[in-house]
Amino acid sequence: QQNEMNSFLWTIKRDPPSYFFGTIHVPYTRVWDFIPENSKKAFQQSHIVYFELDLTDPYTISALTSCQLLPQGKNLQDVLPRDIYRRLKRHLEYVKLMMPSWMTPDQRGKGLYADYLFNAIAGNWERKRPVWVMLMVNSLTEVDIKSRGVPVLDLFLAQEAERLRKETGAVEKVEEQCHPLNGLNFSQV
């Protein structure tokens, strides 16, 4: 019973019941074993599932990528102090050098290459807004690299919902997430 108390699952008592479940943006394999059975059962029994964003929609992914970019003609070098830009560039060179040693044999067996993975995560970094570069750098750790190729919990659940032919939707639009982050000033970032 203890494992059901802290499930991040809220039930709206109606007929049929509705549920709210709080997810986090981490590879599902890190948390799946700790998700209580009542949450998994609620997901299985639901016919309609809404997510924060529709991560299975190509438009969502494209819009997320576009919103991260600086205005046309601007580069990160134009907006960051020179010393921070140089440190960032050196750090990314270090990550690129280390990435092959951070990858798992399983990732290599699935055809993932360090250069491909680095470009998938950090490609076009010089055109991104500082807040998105900060988030990107935070995800360029050995632990995070070792779990690349495993969907985050939200995406895993969305893929499961599609596989189980559940009706899906999103409660937010990309712009509702992007504009607040893009509105942060440099000192806030």
Side-chain angles (χ1 to χ4, degrees):
Q1 278 164 321
Q2 174 64 32
N3 72 340
E4 292 193 7
M5 287 176 55
N6 299 317
S7 70
F8 302 102
L9 180 73
W10 293 74
T11 303
I12 301 170
K13 295 184 179 187
R14 53 185 292 269
D15 190 23
S18 291
Y19 305 97
F20 281 113
F21 178 67
T23 60
I24 54 176
H25 302 291
V26 298
Y28 84 94
T29 52
R30 283 196 202 166
V31 295
W32 190 250
D33 291 342
F34 304 100
I35 295 175
E37 285 305 312
N38 66 335
S39 300
K40 292 176 181 177
K41 185 177 175 185
F43 177 79
Q44 288 293 330
Q45 291 176 346
S46 297
H47 300 288
I48 304 169
V49 184
Y50 279 82
F51 297 95
E52 180 181 6
L53 292 173
D54 185 355
L55 297 176
T56 63
D57 181 4
Y59 168 78
T60 301
I61 305 307
S62 173
L64 273 172
T65 302
S66 295
C67 88
Q68 296 178 18
L69 299 178
L70 288 162
Q72 193 64 35
K74 287 262 188 195
N75 287 315
L76 198 55
Q77 191 171 1
D78 302 328
V79 297
L80 284 183
R82 185 176 300 168
D83 62 323
I84 292 178
Y85 178 81
R86 279 197 213 125
R87 285 174 47 207
L88 173 62
K89 191 169 182 168
R90 273 197 310 271
H91 179 69
L92 291 176
E93 288 165 358
Y94 164 78
V95 167
K96 189 170 186 172
L97 184 69
M98 294 303 296
M99 197 172 277
S101 67
W102 292 350
M103 293 184 66
T104 66
D106 188 49
Q107 287 171 316
R108 285 189 207 92
K110 291 179 181 171
L112 273 179
Y113 295 96
D115 283 344
Y116 169 81
L117 195 53
F118 181 83
N119 287 331
I121 300 166
N124 210 18
W125 68 270
E126 293 184 85
R127 288 273 303 117
K128 291 184 178 182
R129 295 171 185 267
V131 67
W132 298 101
V133 173
M134 177 199 64
L135 294 170
M136 175 197 76
V137 167
N138 286 341
S139 73
L140 285 170
T141 65
E142 183 174 359
V143 169
D144 281 352
I145 295 305
K146 286 184 182 311
S147 62
R148 284 296 171 143
V150 175
V152 293
L153 181 59
D154 301 39
L155 180 57
F156 171 75
L157 290 173
Q159 290 169 335
E160 274 297 288
E162 278 192 348
R163 186 182 70 77
L164 297 169
R165 300 197 192 304
K166 295 178 184 289
E167 186 180 325
T168 62
V171 295
E172 288 185 324
K173 294 184 172 103
V174 170
E175 297 75 21
E176 292 171 310
Q177 287 201 352
C178 271
H179 293 314
L181 285 173
N182 287 345
L184 296 174
N185 65 42
F186 185 73
S187 67
Q188 292 169 316
V189 174

